[in-house]
Amino acid sequence: DWLGVPGTRVALGEEEVRFSSRGVSLAGTLTLPSGSGPFPALAVVHGSGSTPRTYGQAFTQFFVRAGVAVLAYDKRGVAQSGGRWPGEAASPQNVDVYARDAEAAVRFLAAHPRVDAARVGLWGASQAGWIIPVAATREPRVAFAVIGVGPVVTEGEQVAYSQHTTQGAQAPQASPEEIERAMDAARTGFDPVPFIRQMRVPALWVFGGLDQHVPTPRSIRALERIKAETGRDFTWQVFPNAPHSLLETGSGLLASNAAAPSLARGMLSAIRQWLDARGF
């Protein structure tokens, strides 16, 4: 049960897998929908932190129930994956390492006998919004991308924003104008925009209207500019009552997450409709 709402068990297939990325063995779990396939598939790209494959399993279950196979893996240097964890910072060097791992995951999926190699994509949230565009521009087997609360701003802008908003610890004391000026002065570090501009695959971004980690309006303005310049199949949707967690809270505060009744209302159906419309 979740907050008194009963759940149901669904028969799914799981495979413990290993794949190589730049000489490192990464450990993961491939979860397959019921049936023989071949299925569309996606690899999970983590946000920040030394996260294992079990992080964000609610989305794994959603995608699998939508008929999409999901590969979730332990970050390098975490749990059963080899190598060294690069660290928290979204430096260009770290983003490159994480993107190479995501590219290796896509190649593994494309070679799997129960996966449709023409329909392999990437999903991830938060810091993954910087990593996925890099992987999608370099690995030709990436066919689509779904990004949750991913910043379409530089690392410096995101840090300035989250510092002025307290990342949800409390209501922001700075005015919107002060926060905008702080971001204007902090356009440094990794910049995802050149990579997003190079992306040739359909992509969907979902944002929280109450996000105090990622500047949603500024990210959307960047996507609007890129789409106007390139004509790419880029879509985005804002869920007004959701913070960075993408839970339905009505508050941007971290303290409200524990009492959230669900993920942002309408978000999962919006993602499902987007996937269906594009044959994924």
Side-chain angles (χ1 to χ4, degrees), residues 174-266:
S175 70
E177 294 76 17
E178 289 172 325
I179 296 173
E180 286 292 320
R181 286 195 295 271
M183 288 191 287
D184 286 341
R187 289 174 174 159
T188 59
F190 179 78
D191 184 359
V193 167
F195 295 97
I196 296 172
R197 191 174 280 115
Q198 294 176 55
M199 286 173 62
R200 299 292 190 272
V201 300
L204 169 67
W205 283 260
V206 292
F207 293 102
L210 301 173
D211 198 329
Q212 290 186 203
H213 289 71
V214 167
T216 294
R218 182 170 283 223
S219 293
I220 290 173
R221 290 196 298 269
L223 288 173
E224 288 172 342
R225 290 192 298 269
I226 295 168
K227 184 167 184 173
E229 293 167 5
T230 64
R232 302 277 189 264
D233 182 7
F234 292 166
T235 307
W236 51 88
Q237 190 162 346
V238 179
F239 297 89
N241 295 324
H244 194 65
S245 63
L246 287 174
L247 295 169
E248 183 75 17
T249 67
S251 164
L253 302 182
L254 297 172
S256 64
N257 286 342
S262 66
L263 290 166
R265 291 191 181 98

